Amino acid sequence: MKKFVAVLSAAAMMTSLAACGSTADTANTAASSANTAASAAESTADTAAADSYKVAIVQQLDHASLDEIRVAIEKELDAKAAEKGITIEYKDFNGQNDATTLNQIGTEVVADGYDAIIPIATLAAQCMTTAAESTKTPVIYAAISDPAAADLTDIDYVTGTSDALNTQSIMDMMFAVQPDIQTVGLLYSNSEANSTTPIAEAKAYLDAKGIAYVEKTGNTNDEIMTAASSMVGQVDAVFTPTDNVVMAAAAAVSETLTKGGIPFYTGADSFVTAGAFATCGVNYTELGTYTADMALDILETGVVPAYHVMDGGIITVNTETAAALGIDYSAFNDLAGQVVEVTTAE
């Protein structure tokens, strides 16, 4: 009987051990499955994050050139999102040309965790660069005429596109159709970084040719209009570079100068569609598209390249303004690979 009880006890213990082993195996399998599921969920979350980006588009102020760039950026981001099957959520901000407002926008954008910031124009780019310094959020600016002069170079999280102006080409255009010019008006804002280098280049060009020039500046629409009006009767032509302050009043300035019989040569095609006579520069739709592509490449690769200078050399002429001034602009065909004719936009 003792042996029988011993055998039964041993059998019971073996059964108990087997049950414990089975329970442990089941627990281990369950834990392994849970870990696998967690890893899969984490991987899915990472993939979803990689396929979804938040982009802040910060426009310095409202005017035709910057509006054209913003529209092109948004259109390209939408197109790339559809092409790649990803989500690109973007939001527009506008600083109304006020540094305090732009700095507040920068603080908000960084705090909200945007993946990239696309500022349009120099002051917006400078404010966004400062705001993103602590987080190193990529800043991909659009339409900075002179990134070095604006202190936007050699910063590892900052790059973008430059609409650097070929001032000599515009001066050559001016004298090609008006060889008898005696005095040139230089109209710009002395607070606009984009104008500093081109105005200096224009002065050097005119000095070399022995041509007189009159400088007029302003920092508000009213000041710019007063400056433009004062040039009537004093100058034979007026030059304005890619100046955002003047661009905001471009339609009224163009009308005033045209009525005064003065051709208005400018730094961007949007001036010309606003009524100015002619320009030789970049296409802002192409610039906006390139900027958007650059931003997406940075988001996908994490690599921030050097800034890109857009190709210029496109002469744009307002045919209505040319007719009003009685100017034959056929000489432009010998100065550029492409001459684009436009009329004044409503």
Side-chain angles (χ1 to χ4, degrees):
M1 180 62 70
K2 287 181 180 179
K3 289 183 179 180
F4 179 69
V5 171
V7 170
L8 287 178
S9 298
M13 186 178 295
M14 290 297 293
T15 302
S16 175
L17 289 173
C20 289
S22 176
T23 301
D25 289 344
T26 301
N28 288 336
T29 301
S32 177
S33 298
N35 289 335
T36 301
S39 297
E42 184 177 349
S43 176
T44 301
D46 289 342
T47 302
D51 290 346
S52 178
Y53 303 107
K54 285 178 59 179
V55 178
I57 302 172
V58 184
Q59 188 169 326
Q60 182 169 315
L61 73 162
D62 289 314
H63 69 58
S65 293
L66 306 191
D67 292 345
E68 181 180 347
I69 294 168
R70 174 181 49 76
V71 169
I73 289 170
E74 293 173 352
K75 184 176 180 180
E76 182 67 1
L77 290 177
D78 288 338
K80 288 298 184 183
E83 175 188 324
K84 294 175 173 287
I86 61 179
T87 299
I88 303 177
E89 177 188 345
Y90 54 80
K91 183 176 180 179
D92 295 334
F93 300 85
N94 193 307
Q96 301 303 333
N97 212 33
D98 181 78
T100 300
T101 302
L102 285 164
N103 285 328
Q104 290 171 347
I105 291 170
T107 300
E108 176 185 346
V109 165
V110 170
D112 287 347
Y114 280 82
D115 299 304
I117 309 171
I118 304 179
I120 307 173
T122 304
L123 181 59
Q126 291 169 328
C127 292
M128 295 310 108
T129 296
T130 300
E133 184 175 5
S134 60
T135 59
K136 302 297 188 250
T137 303
V139 175
I140 307 94
Y141 54 72
I144 308 301
S145 296
D146 193 340
D151 296 322
L152 293 171
T153 56
D154 300 322
I155 305 173
D156 57 7
Y157 60 96
V158 178
T159 187
T161 53
S162 171
D163 58 344
L165 193 62
N166 188 330
T167 308
Q168 180 175 332
S169 294
I170 297 179
M171 295 290 111
D172 289 343
M173 287 170 54
M174 189 183 291
F175 286 92
V177 297
Q178 293 180 265
D180 298 325
I181 288 177
Q182 300 297 311
T183 306
V184 174
L186 304 176
L187 177 64
Y188 62 100
S189 169
N190 51 20
S191 66
E192 180 65 35
N194 283 352
S195 293
T196 303
T197 298
I199 289 297
E201 292 171 344
K203 290 178 182 179
Y205 181 102
L206 296 170
D207 285 339
K209 290 180 72 71
I211 303 295
Y213 51 83
V214 174
E215 291 182 76
K216 297 290 183 179
T217 64
N219 292 309
T220 66
N221 277 13
D222 289 343
E223 290 174 355
I224 291 297
M225 284 307 304
T226 299
S229 298
S230 70
M231 287 186 173
V232 176
Q234 291 192 57
V235 301
D236 304 303
V238 171
F239 167 64
T240 289
T242 51
D243 190 299
N244 290 298
V245 177
V246 180
M247 182 61 231
V253 171
S254 299
E255 183 178 5
T256 296
L257 294 178
T258 300
K259 285 182 177 179
I262 303 171
F264 187 23
Y265 298 84
T266 64
D269 56 1
S270 46
F271 281 88
V272 181
T273 56
F277 170 50
T279 187
C280 181
V282 306
N283 180 296
Y284 277 133
T285 295
E286 292 179 1
L287 183 146
T289 301
Y290 193 102
T291 305
D293 288 342
M294 180 180 273
L296 185 55
D297 285 344
I298 291 169
L299 287 171
E300 292 182 324
T301 67
V303 177
V304 179
Y307 73 86
H308 175 77
V309 179
M310 298 297 296
D311 293 332
I314 302 171
I315 290 180
T316 305
V317 183
N318 188 311
T319 55
E320 294 174 342
T321 303
L325 293 168
I327 293 181
D328 175 10
Y329 57 86
S330 58
F332 289 165
N333 293 317
D334 297 326
L335 298 178
Q338 183 180 7
V339 176
V340 177
E341 296 179 330
V342 300
T343 57
T344 304
E346 293 295 332

